[in-house]
Amino acid sequence: MKKIFSRCRKFFLFSIIFFGSLSLILSHAARSETVEQSIWCSINDPASERIFVSSPVRRPLTSRMAVMDYGSRFARTVNSRFGLHVVLVGNHCHAFPSSYHATTAYTALISRMADQNFKIVSVSIF
């Protein structure tokens, strides 16, 4: 009887450890899929004293290549809408881990360019 109780107790403890670690792994995987970052893009045109910016948006956490894809889409949009010839493969978009950091950098750029009398042009790509 003691052997059966001992085996049941070992099995019970093993199942607690196994299913507990499995739930931790699954919850970590679920959290990693929903991790987001804030992205916004900007291109300045010193010749016409304009800066083209997009508003900060939340996107799933992606690789640096995906952020550069957003940048090339932003450059194509600016080229087609405003007749510029901006390089498509450039570092036009900026990714931040939180909305606070993205908004702080965004407002700092806008205020700095407004102080230099640049016209702020809002461009939406998202």
Side-chain angles (χ1 to χ4, degrees), residues 22 37 44 64 79-80 82 84-85 92 102 109 113-114 119:
L22 182 64
Q37 63 184 354
N44 62 351
R64 184 68 190 139
N79 285 343
S80 66
F82 301 100
L84 295 179
H85 299 288
H92 305 299
L109 176 71
M113 296 311 264
K119 181 182 177 187

Side-chain angles (χ1 to χ4, degrees), residues 31-47:
R31 268 187 281 135
S32 66
E33 289 177 7
T34 60
V35 173
E36 293 183 337
Q37 63 184 354
S38 290
I39 300 172
W40 58 271
C41 304
S42 67
I43 295 174
N44 62 351
D45 182 22

Side-chain angles (χ1 to χ4, degrees), residues 4 8-9 11-12 14 23-24 28-29 32 36 38 51 59 61 72 76 84 87-88 99 105 111 115 121 126:
I4 293 173
C8 289
R9 188 174 65 180
F11 178 75
F12 178 73
F14 173 76
S23 68
L24 284 175
H28 177 69
S32 66
E36 293 183 337
S38 290
I51 182 166
R59 291 285 172 214
L61 183 63
S72 65
R76 282 193 308 269
L84 295 179
V87 181
L88 297 181
S99 295
S111 64
D115 288 343
V121 181
F126 298 107

Side-chain angles (χ1 to χ4, degrees), residues 1-27:
M1 187 72 172
K2 277 188 166 186
K3 286 185 179 182
I4 293 173
F5 181 74
S6 176
R7 286 183 185 171
C8 289
R9 188 174 65 180
K10 286 180 183 178
F11 178 75
F12 178 73
L13 291 175
F14 173 76
S15 64
I16 288 175
I17 293 170
F18 176 76
F19 289 116
S21 62
L22 182 64
S23 68
L24 284 175
I25 290 170
L26 292 176
S27 68

Side-chain angles (χ1 to χ4, degrees), residues 39-45 50-56 74 91-94 96 100-122:
I39 300 172
W40 58 271
C41 304
S42 67
I43 295 174
N44 62 351
D45 182 22
R50 294 183 296 180
I51 182 166
F52 304 95
V53 294
S54 68
S55 300
F74 183 74
N91 195 14
H92 305 299
C93 288
H94 317 281
F96 297 90
Y100 173 77
H101 290 103
T103 306
T104 303
Y106 178 78
T107 55
L109 176 71
I110 295 296
S111 64
R112 186 174 62 243
M113 296 311 264
D115 288 343
Q116 297 175 7
N117 294 326
F118 271 66
K119 181 182 177 187
I120 312 301
V121 181
S122 180

